[in-house]
Amino acid sequence: MTTKVQEPAAAGGKTGSGDAVASGASPALALLAGWLVPGAGHLLLGKWVRAGLLMVSIVGMFAIGIALQGKVYTPNTGEPLDMLGFAGDLGSGLLYGLARLLGWGQAPVLTAVADYGTKFIVVAGLLNVVAAVDAHSLASGRKPS
Amino acid sequence: MTISHFSAVLLFSLFTSIVFGITQRAQPKKMVRFGALCFALFVGGTIAASWAMWLIKH
């Protein structure tokens, strides 16, 4: 004589991965696009307004930094703050490459306002990293909307 | 191009608050509220620090 044991309806219970499929973009692609071009990660996910606001904010901040004659850091192994400055600048993705290509931000910083420009450029890069990680979270479903 | 120090504070606060608002909250209404809070804290904090430095000097 045997006893029938009722099995649970759902075994495993894996959840939270459906949003990545629904958005149509892989998390890695959203992260990479968001890093290279400010706002592009959100654009891939169909978040048009957020993408536009992020692009205007980050590109605007970077452009103001350049206009204020801020410094664009180059790869270096000197002062720790210079190395951190380079890491921050690198967060701007293609904007940083464009600045290096066109020779922007290479003049010496002589005024307080130019030093503000240097900070604008570094913070633009850091904010772009934050925005790219946000796009990754949206694509992976970790952030709901 | 040159701008005043206060204009630099306003621009920095505006752009940073927009990015913080969008990335740190999930609903649009909360994004606006958090962005506005960040902007107020940035500008208010700068003004408070400026007055504190003036008081220390005098």
Side-chain angles (χ1 to χ4, degrees):
Chain A
M1 187 174 180
T2 58
T3 307
K4 191 175 181 181
V5 178
Q6 189 175 5
E7 293 180 2
K14 188 180 178 185
T15 58
S17 60
D19 290 343
V21 178
S23 66
S26 77
L29 182 64
L31 181 71
L32 185 68
W35 171 60
L36 288 174
V37 180
H42 288 78
L43 204 63
L44 279 177
L45 301 172
K47 308 276 186 189
W48 303 93
V49 177
R50 296 186 204 183
L53 285 169
L54 289 171
M55 183 176 280
V56 167
S57 299
I58 295 167
V59 174
M61 202 157 184
F62 189 89
I64 289 171
I66 293 292
L68 292 176
Q69 299 181 335
K71 177 182 177 181
V72 174
Y73 288 95
T74 53
N76 64 85
T77 54
E79 295 290 321
L81 283 179
D82 285 347
M83 289 192 282
L84 289 172
F86 169 67
D89 281 3
L90 206 57
S92 298
L94 290 180
L95 281 177
Y96 177 74
L98 189 69
R100 289 293 307 280
L101 201 68
L102 299 177
W104 294 341
Q106 299 304 315
V109 174
L110 300 174
T111 62
V113 173
D115 191 44
Y116 293 167
T118 304
K119 272 54 179 181
F120 268 63
I121 295 168
V122 172
V123 173
L126 296 174
L127 290 177
N128 192 39
V129 172
V130 172
V133 170
D134 185 59
H136 179 274
S137 298
L138 283 168
S140 67
R142 191 167 50 184
K143 188 178 179 185
S145 64
Chain B
M1 173 182 170
T2 184
I3 55 175
S4 70
H5 293 195
F6 189 64
S7 303
V9 169
L10 292 179
L11 286 170
F12 183 95
S13 305
L14 177 68
F15 292 140
T16 307
S17 301
I18 289 172
V19 177
F20 279 1
I22 290 172
T23 58
Q24 304 303 312
R25 292 293 182 270
Q27 287 83 34
K29 196 174 178 180
K30 289 186 176 177
M31 288 178 184
V32 173
R33 286 184 64 181
F34 187 69
L37 175 69
C38 287
F39 182 80
L41 287 176
F42 271 127
V43 177
T46 305
I47 292 171
S50 306
W51 275 109
M53 287 187 280
W54 184 86
L55 289 170
I56 291 169
K57 187 181 178 184
H58 293 83

